[in-house]
């Protein structure tokens, strides 16, 4: 199981999300999404990394992606985004089996739900979707697949309360995984941060989440 320490960066509090990536560049934790668990069936691996840090109220994740094809058919929150060029963050609280999936396509459209199981899930409400701030380097307009090599970045700020966490009393640890996929592109792929030991692609598997811990400062 991988372990990740999330630094606290005071400068993220109150900063415009468009500037958060610059704040995070020097002080956030940087990780790669580079595990090909299903290499034989899905050998393609784009270049994917993310910076992660926290402010007082939100978890910040800044994704970097470079690879073949770009697709963003889903244009409204609540629509499935995994067929598009998509990055994902799944998390569960320590001691629980329920989990939440936060999925974003390359233009920032979000699908998220609270899960008891893969199929027993409750999507976020419209107000909850709106509470997730997003900034993308691409125009916020849906489009069909574009071929060729493309690079894009996405920054998201997810409120701790939306994750079921009290920002005034954050837990010592929680669990999660980070993913990249693009199910319905010309180059479908399923890449993860923490390895998943299953015979077929499946991100809804809390047993294979890594351990995430909060730091009190950005050292």
């Amino acid at each position: 199981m991988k372990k990740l320490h999330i630094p606290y960066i005071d400068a993220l509090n109150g900063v415009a999300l468009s500037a958060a990536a610059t704040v995070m560049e020097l002080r956030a934790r940087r990780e790669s999404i580079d595990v090909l668990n299903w290499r034989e069936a899905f050998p393609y691996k784009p270049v994917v990394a993310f910076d992660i840090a926290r402010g007082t109220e939100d978890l910040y994740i800044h994704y970097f992606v470079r690879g073949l094809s770009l697709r963003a058919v889903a244009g409204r929150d609540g629509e499935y985004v995994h067929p598009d060029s998509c990055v994902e963050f799944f998390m569960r609280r320590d001691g629980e089996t329920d989990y939440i999936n936060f999925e974003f396509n390359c233009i920032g459209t979000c699908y998220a739900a609270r899960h008891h199981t893969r199929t027993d899930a409750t999507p976020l409400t419209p107000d909850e979707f709106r509470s997730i701030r997003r900034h993308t380097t691409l125009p916020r307009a849906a489009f069909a697949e574009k071929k060729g090599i493309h690079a894009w970045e996405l920054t998201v700020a997810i409120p701790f309360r939306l994750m079921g966490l009290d920002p005034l009393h954050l837990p010592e640890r929680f669990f999660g995984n980070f993913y990249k996929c693009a199910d319905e592109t010309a180059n479908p792929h399923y890449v993860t941060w923490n390895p998943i030991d299953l015979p077929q692609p499946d991100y809804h598997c809390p047993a294979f989440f890594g351990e995430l811990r909060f730091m009190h400062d950005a050292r």
Side-chain angles (χ1 to χ4, degrees), residues 31-34 46-50 63-66 87 179-180:
E31 294 281 329
S32 294
I33 301 175
D34 58 4
V47 177
V48 190
F50 66 92
Y63 294 94
F64 312 76
V65 183
R66 180 184 183 277
V87 289
Y179 310 124
K180 174 70 182 76

Side-chain angles (χ1 to χ4, degrees), residues 130 168 203:
R130 282 191 288 269
L168 298 178
Y203 289 170

Side-chain angles (χ1 to χ4, degrees):
M1 176 193 297
K2 287 186 177 179
K3 296 183 179 181
L4 186 159
H5 290 83
I6 301 171
Y8 172 76
I9 302 178
D10 184 66
L12 287 171
N13 297 314
V15 72
L17 195 61
S18 57
T22 302
V23 173
M24 297 170 71
E25 178 69 19
L26 292 177
R27 301 172 62 190
R29 173 69 177 263
R30 181 164 294 177
E31 294 281 329
S32 294
I33 301 175
D34 58 4
V35 179
L36 281 178
N37 304 280
W38 307 283
R39 183 183 300 271
E40 290 188 8
F42 300 99
Y44 178 63
K45 182 172 70 173
V47 177
V48 190
F50 66 92
D51 289 344
I52 188 166
R54 71 174 180 93
T56 301
E57 301 285 338
D58 303 286
L59 180 71
Y60 290 80
I61 309 172
H62 178 220
Y63 294 94
F64 312 76
V65 183
R66 180 184 183 277
L68 291 170
S69 296
L70 194 65
R71 184 185 193 268
V73 172
R76 295 186 299 178
D77 287 348
E79 297 179 342
Y80 289 125
V81 295
H82 62 270
D84 290 341
S85 302
C86 178
V87 289
E88 305 183 359
F89 165 58
F90 283 38
M91 63 81 58
R92 69 169 177 85
R93 293 181 292 187
D94 193 10
E96 298 188 1
T97 57
D98 290 1
Y99 64 95
I100 306 176
N101 60 322
F102 297 96
E103 307 177 5
F104 305 91
N105 69 8
C106 56
I107 61 171
T109 305
C110 179
Y111 176 81
R114 296 180 176 90
H115 287 258
H116 294 298
T117 66
R118 182 187 182 94
T119 56
D120 183 4
T122 303
L124 300 190
T125 67
D127 284 343
E128 288 175 324
F129 276 118
R130 282 191 288 269
S131 73
I132 304 172
R133 292 181 291 143
R134 289 153 261 173
H135 175 76
T136 175
T137 54
L138 299 175
R140 293 288 294 270
F143 57 85
E145 183 173 358
K146 300 176 182 179
K147 301 296 178 62
I149 297 177
H150 300 268
W152 53 278
E153 300 178 25
L154 173 71
T155 307
V156 300
I158 305 173
F160 287 126
R161 295 192 185 279
L162 197 60
M163 299 164 59
L165 303 178
D166 180 353
L168 298 178
H169 302 92
L170 290 173
E172 180 179 351
R173 66 178 185 174
F174 64 106
F175 296 88
N177 210 345
F178 303 83
Y179 310 124
K180 174 70 182 76
C181 63
D183 292 28
E184 295 184 10
T185 65
N187 300 278
H189 51 270
Y190 301 91
V191 193
T192 71
W193 170 69
N194 200 60
I196 298 175
D197 186 14
L198 294 173
Q200 297 179 1
D202 186 358
Y203 289 170
H204 292 259
C205 45
F208 296 102
F209 286 1
E211 180 181 299
L212 286 66
R213 289 182 174 265
F214 290 115
M215 298 171 61
H216 294 296
D217 55 38
R219 289 198 299 266

